[in-house]
Amino acid sequence: MARIESLESLRAIYGAPKGRSVAKQLDRLDRHCRSFIALSPFLVLATQGADGFGDATPRGDQPGFVGVLDDNTLVIPDRPGNNRIDSLANLVERPGIGLLFLIPGVDETLRVNGTAVIDEDETLRPAHMADGKLPATVMVVTVREAYLQCGKALMRSNLWADESRIDRSLLPTMGEMLRDHTRSSEPPETQADMLARYAKALY
């Protein structure tokens, strides 16, 4: 192994960032960032636990589900889930957060980094109701960095191309995979049953 163990060794390979790759980084949300967030129905949320392990989780809802309070503050509602609350627990212990916003059909992404707190504020939660249900809590994110990421990764992966879509039958159903992961003897949940259960939990 030729492990890289210092920043100096790493920079010797890659060199220093130049030009717009550095200049594009903002310490706030400008009008372009706000517009991107308003159009985004999906983001990846990254946190780190006290054990040092990183964690990345998807978050999605209707476009604009993430609220922008001002140039340095975002509000992300927490929708019903499985109550693992890995990200929320991580943020209670370590407030650092990274967000990657995506818009279907757009190769560029928006990266936002900062800190976050978990809040059950009675004025913030009602503003982020969905189908008559209040989020149990909201994440209030203080923005420290915001910048657009070029589309090379999504372009190389052809993520949005119709020809990149796979036949779902190439993978077992979620129920089958969960049965194997949990070593359950119960019959696997069908895809239809799983979708019905998720719909009930959401609505």
Side-chain angles (χ1 to χ4, degrees):
M1 291 179 63
R3 181 179 298 174
I4 307 300
E5 296 184 326
S6 71
L7 292 177
E8 291 78 10
S9 297
L10 194 62
R11 281 298 177 198
I13 297 172
Y14 288 97
K18 299 177 182 178
R20 287 193 298 182
S21 66
V22 176
K24 69 181 181 180
Q25 182 175 315
L26 306 174
D27 61 0
R28 67 193 185 287
L29 303 171
D30 72 350
R31 63 187 180 92
H32 300 300
C33 296
R34 286 172 173 258
S35 176
F36 204 104
I37 292 168
L39 292 171
S40 174
F42 181 83
L43 63 86
V44 178
L45 185 155
T47 58
Q48 184 182 48
D51 55 11
F53 291 164
D55 185 83
T57 181
R59 289 287 191 274
D61 211 319
Q62 296 301 307
F65 75 99
V66 175
V68 181
L69 292 187
D70 56 49
D71 288 353
N72 288 98
T73 313
L74 294 175
V75 178
I76 306 173
D78 191 61
R79 302 296 184 212
N82 57 19
N83 290 337
R84 281 187 57 109
I85 61 170
D86 296 315
S87 299
L88 305 187
N90 288 347
L91 289 171
V92 167
E93 297 181 313
R94 292 189 176 185
I97 192 170
L99 305 171
L100 180 70
F101 289 90
L102 290 90
I103 300 173
V106 175
D107 289 327
E108 292 73 32
T109 55
L110 175 68
R111 296 171 64 173
V112 176
N113 300 318
T115 58
V117 296
I118 311 304
D119 205 314
E120 55 177 346
D121 187 279
E122 292 299 331
T123 59
L124 288 176
R125 290 167 59 220
H128 294 85
M129 290 180 64
D131 299 296
K133 288 191 175 183
L134 281 173
T137 60
V138 294
M139 284 174 267
V140 182
V141 179
T142 299
V143 176
R144 302 298 185 191
E145 300 174 347
Y147 51 97
L148 292 164
Q149 178 76 38
C150 75
K152 290 179 181 178
L154 273 70
M155 292 167 67
R156 284 193 294 259
S157 66
N158 288 320
L159 183 64
W160 306 125
D162 287 342
E163 59 269 24
S164 295
R165 297 175 65 91
I166 68 164
D167 187 327
R168 185 59 182 82
S169 66
L170 292 175
L171 283 173
T173 68
M174 184 66 165
E176 290 171 326
M177 291 188 283
L178 285 177
R179 180 196 60 186
D180 291 342
H181 288 173
T182 59
R183 295 178 173 82
S184 173
S185 59
E186 296 180 3
E189 184 178 43
T190 67
Q191 199 77 10
D193 289 341
M194 181 193 71
L195 291 173
R197 177 168 55 82
Y198 281 0
K200 183 178 180 181
L202 289 172
Y203 305 115

